[in-house]
Amino acid sequence: MPGGNTRISNFERPHPIYLASGMGAYVKDVDGNSYLDFQNNFTALIHGYGHPGVADAVRRQANLAVSFAGPTVTEVKLAELVVERVPYFDQIRFTNTGSEAVMMALKAARALTGRRLIAKCEGAYHGNYDVVEANVTASPRNWTEVEQARPEHSGVAFSALSDCLVVPFNDIEGTRKILEGVADRLAAIIIDPLPSRIGLIPLAADYLAYVRDFTRKHSALLVFDQVLSFRLGYAGAPLPQTGYPDLCAFGKIIGGGLPIGAVAGSAEVMAVFDPSLANGPRVHHSGTFTANPLSMAAGLAAMADLLPPDFQRLNALGDRTRTLLAAAFASAGVPGTVTGEGSLFRIFLGSEPVSSYADTFALAQDPRLKPLLIRMRETGVSLSPIGLGAISTAMDEADISRLGETLETALRSLKHQWRV
Ligand SMILES: Cc1ncc(COP(=O)(O)O)c(C=O)c1O
């Protein structure tokens, strides 16, 4: 394996930590070291590790069959459970990843509108689909020409980039300038209501109202990417009724830790995938492992154990976490910033306000962040390489306190080197 593993997101020098097992809020590496894990597989494991319902469901399903060519009853049950929870979902189709879900939603938008342009926010990550793989890590060198999408990684199709417009998140005037002249060619705007790479800052109500209005007025689709943010509540990210999207791509938590993605929306829009229609579906969607029974069974068990009080508890722990982390920075005497909502949080070194991608970009470059995260991990607490964490239902107040104490101790031990 080039680099020694398969995901760039967890590569590090000299080598990443190879994991062996997990239970509750903890993981163990192959050397037997234990970590309080706030990564939860990039936020997907909302119940942490070894949830008994999920483990049983997977075992039971594995004894029956791990995959089939035909659909299953479990697929119907998971579809019903999710659709019943979200007021703007009538129908759903499953995929294997969040990236595929985004791809399907955007193909649907093109098929329904007959248009080619997709607008995405600068810095937003939407997975591995060419048209939205532009400007994920945009840097000051192209801020002055932000409307011109740039390839992020060599290998992204240049033809796809000519279909991508990049707009500034939460900036109505900046977005208006870019979209104004192209409204009749716009298929969709894709928005993440809590974009992690933009700084885990929430979508502003006036920006949502603007994009909802603009897309409706110009017959384009408003697509939400809730792959990460579906964990914010029982019905996904909280939204005003006036801001409901036409289509939503999501995944992660609904698979109970197994591979999954989904796209859902109104019956009218979802008809674009319907093979029972006289002229067949306008978007062809299949896949050998799509709606595989293991993911469906794990997802059903995980989601059935997530009722409104569970989200209330998770989100209250999240509020408490953000308070404790901010207090840890203050008490160590090192300027820091904590962002996030619900059960998600992100830490930055530096106290400049984080309200845009440019703010986040500046703080995320801080060379002290990586040694801080490594020091925390050496004392047994693991966050993602960008300082993002997700709380699971397996965690409690004691785990959150340990996180705060670990941050404070790490800051105190490093601040002399940093000359704060
Ligand atoms: C907002 C968002 N969209 C899309 C994706 C891609 O999902 P997946 O990794 O399941 O392909 C991610 C993954 O982290 C994400 O956070």
Side-chain angles (χ1 to χ4, degrees):
M1 293 182 286
N5 79 325
T6 298
R7 288 192 278 182
I8 195 169
S9 46
N10 58 20
F11 171 76
E12 67 178 78
R13 288 178 207 285
H15 59 78
I17 288 183
Y18 287 75
L19 296 171
S21 64
M23 187 46 69
Y26 288 82
V27 290
K28 258 197 187 149
D29 68 18
V30 289
D31 295 322
N33 301 306
S34 177
Y35 307 89
L36 175 57
D37 180 41
F38 286 91
Q39 297 210 63
N40 283 306
N41 194 17
F42 293 101
T43 79
L45 294 170
I46 197 162
H47 291 303
Y49 299 85
H51 179 273
V54 173
D56 276 353
V58 170
R59 269 192 293 268
R60 251 184 288 122
Q61 185 58 51
N63 284 333
L64 296 171
V66 291
S67 65
F68 288 123
T72 64
V73 172
T74 324
E75 173 184 346
V76 176
K77 287 186 179 161
L78 183 58
E80 282 174 350
L81 180 146
V82 174
V83 167
E84 273 165 17
R85 290 184 179 195
V86 184
Y88 49 94
F89 288 177
D90 293 331
Q91 293 191 325
I92 182 169
R93 270 174 96 92
F94 293 105
T95 66
N96 296 297
T97 64
S99 299
E100 270 186 62
V102 166
M103 174 178 78
M104 277 177 66
L106 297 181
K107 283 185 178 179
R110 289 200 206 96
L112 287 165
T113 60
R115 301 170 179 175
R116 43 182 292 197
L117 294 179
I118 304 292
K120 61 135 343 216
C121 290
E122 184 186 24
Y125 178 69
H126 296 293
N128 305 302
Y129 177 45
D130 279 18
V131 73
V132 284
E133 230 181 318
N135 283 65
V136 178
T137 53
S139 68
R141 98 191 117 72
N142 53 8
W143 280 347
T144 52
E145 41 185 330
V146 68
E147 71 276 14
Q148 185 61 55
R150 293 291 181 96
E152 265 318 298
H153 313 287
S154 48
V156 173
F158 290 98
S159 55
L161 293 169
S162 64
D163 290 344
C164 175
L165 297 165
V166 179
V167 295
F169 184 65
N170 278 349
D171 174 350
I172 296 177
E173 271 321 298
T175 301
R176 198 194 310 275
K177 262 199 271 172
I178 290 158
L179 296 186
E180 223 162 37
V182 296
D184 59 341
R185 285 180 285 144
L186 187 69
I189 302 179
I190 180 163
I191 300 272
D192 178 345
L194 189 67
S196 61
R197 310 280 178 106
I198 296 182
L200 214 64
I201 46 181
L203 175 62
D206 61 344
Y207 191 72
L208 172 59
Y210 165 73
V211 290
R212 181 60 286 185
D213 200 52
F214 186 91
T215 43
R216 200 164 272 138
K217 186 160 147 212
H218 296 287
S219 307
L221 264 69
L222 178 61
V223 174
F224 264 38
D225 176 351
Q226 292 196 35
V227 173
L228 189 82
S229 56
F230 202 71
R231 65 153 48 228
L232 291 179
Y234 185 69
L239 293 175
Q241 196 173 347
T242 49
Y244 289 167
D246 300 300
L247 268 182
C248 181
F250 56 118
K252 295 211 197 245
I253 67 160
I254 63 158
L258 269 72
I260 204 158
V263 57
S266 67
E268 192 190 343
V269 172
M270 291 296 290
V272 75
F273 299 111
D274 189 349
S276 69
L277 296 180
N279 299 327
R282 282 193 271 174
V283 175
H284 181 95
H285 168 236
S286 189
T288 305
F289 299 109
T290 297
N292 76 79
L294 277 181
S295 294
M296 298 295 110
L300 186 61
M303 294 302 289
D305 198 20
L306 282 173
L307 298 176
D310 302 305
F311 284 100
Q312 273 158 22
R313 182 179 164 270
L314 270 176
N315 294 350
L317 273 180
D319 289 341
R320 179 100 186 102
T321 304
R322 287 180 289 276
T323 305
L324 284 181
L325 290 171
F329 279 113
S331 138
V334 178
T337 302
V338 186
T339 59
E341 280 208 330
S343 54
L344 294 165
F345 63 89
R346 182 171 171 182
I347 58 169
F348 297 91
L349 281 157
S351 54
E352 294 78 9
V354 179
S355 62
S356 69
Y357 174 71
D359 298 339
T360 296
F361 184 88
L363 287 184
Q365 302 305 306
D366 194 315
R368 300 172 302 167
L369 184 63
K370 192 171 169 196
L372 173 66
L373 295 171
I374 289 177
R375 181 62 60 91
M376 289 177 71
R377 194 176 64 193
E378 281 167 0
T379 39
V381 174
S382 164
L383 298 184
S384 92
I386 62 166
L388 184 129
I391 293 159
S392 76
T393 58
M395 292 175 172
D396 59 20
E397 277 284 339
D399 298 315
I400 304 307
S401 301
R402 182 169 169 208
L403 169 66
E405 284 154 20
T406 304
L407 174 64
E408 187 176 334
T409 310
L411 289 168
R412 284 186 190 281
S413 69
L414 289 166
K415 72 185 251 193
H416 303 293
Q417 296 171 27
W418 296 340
R419 298 200 179 85
V420 176

